[in-house]
Amino acid sequence: MKKIILASMMSLVIVGCGASTTEMRALGAKTYSIQGNAQNSKQCLLDKLNDLRPDRMLINELGDHTEIFIGATQAGKFRNFYLFDISSKEIKLSHYNGVFPALSEQEADSYIKSCQ
């Protein structure tokens, strides 16, 4: 009986963590201006986030901008906690209000500031 209750509680915790890519795009974002070359800023950010590859990072190259999603696979779906949206003039950071031990909000902020 205890195993059934524990399994039920764990499934609720797993399903409720993170956000879909669509939900992440709809969240508010903190905006940082890019001081120099956008391609260099993107590469710098990818280098800083490299430890999260390949299983905790999803990259979408969309021509005029690049999306970097940071999250984890839960119950067979990739659930996101961060979205770095890089365009030619700015980096936008969206953060889902869940706990993601692999990257803190302060770390994400400092990575962007060091790559502007």
Side-chain angles (χ1 to χ4, degrees):
M1 184 65 175
K2 287 182 183 181
K3 288 181 182 180
I4 293 172
I5 293 171
L6 182 59
S8 298
M9 290 173 57
M10 288 301 294
S11 66
L12 289 174
V13 169
I14 290 173
V15 172
C17 296
S20 70
T21 53
T22 303
E23 292 167 333
M24 286 302 297
R25 290 180 186 117
L27 290 176
K30 187 174 180 181
T31 303
Y32 304 80
S33 296
I34 293 177
Q35 311 293 316
N37 182 302
Q39 191 64 29
N40 291 344
S41 293
K42 179 177 86 171
Q43 190 56 53
C44 175
L45 196 53
L46 286 170
D47 290 345
K48 299 236 182 247
L49 297 169
N50 193 50
D51 289 344
L52 300 172
R53 287 183 188 206
D55 57 337
R56 292 179 279 180
M57 184 186 300
L58 172 68
I59 303 169
N60 291 332
E61 295 280 353
L62 301 170
D64 61 338
H65 68 109
T66 301
E67 297 174 328
I68 303 171
F69 291 95
I70 304 296
T73 302
Q74 299 172 354
K77 292 186 178 185
F78 191 78
R79 305 300 290 172
N80 303 284
F81 289 87
Y82 292 94
L83 168 58
F84 298 85
D85 190 349
I86 307 162
S87 67
S88 63
K89 304 218 185 267
E90 63 191 13
I91 300 172
K92 293 182 181 178
L93 174 64
S94 300
H95 175 242
Y96 177 75
N97 286 332
V99 175
F100 187 64
L103 182 67
S104 72
E105 195 168 359
Q106 292 78 19
E107 286 174 308
D109 183 68
S110 71
Y111 289 170
I112 293 172
K113 287 178 179 174
S114 70
C115 291
Q116 285 179 294

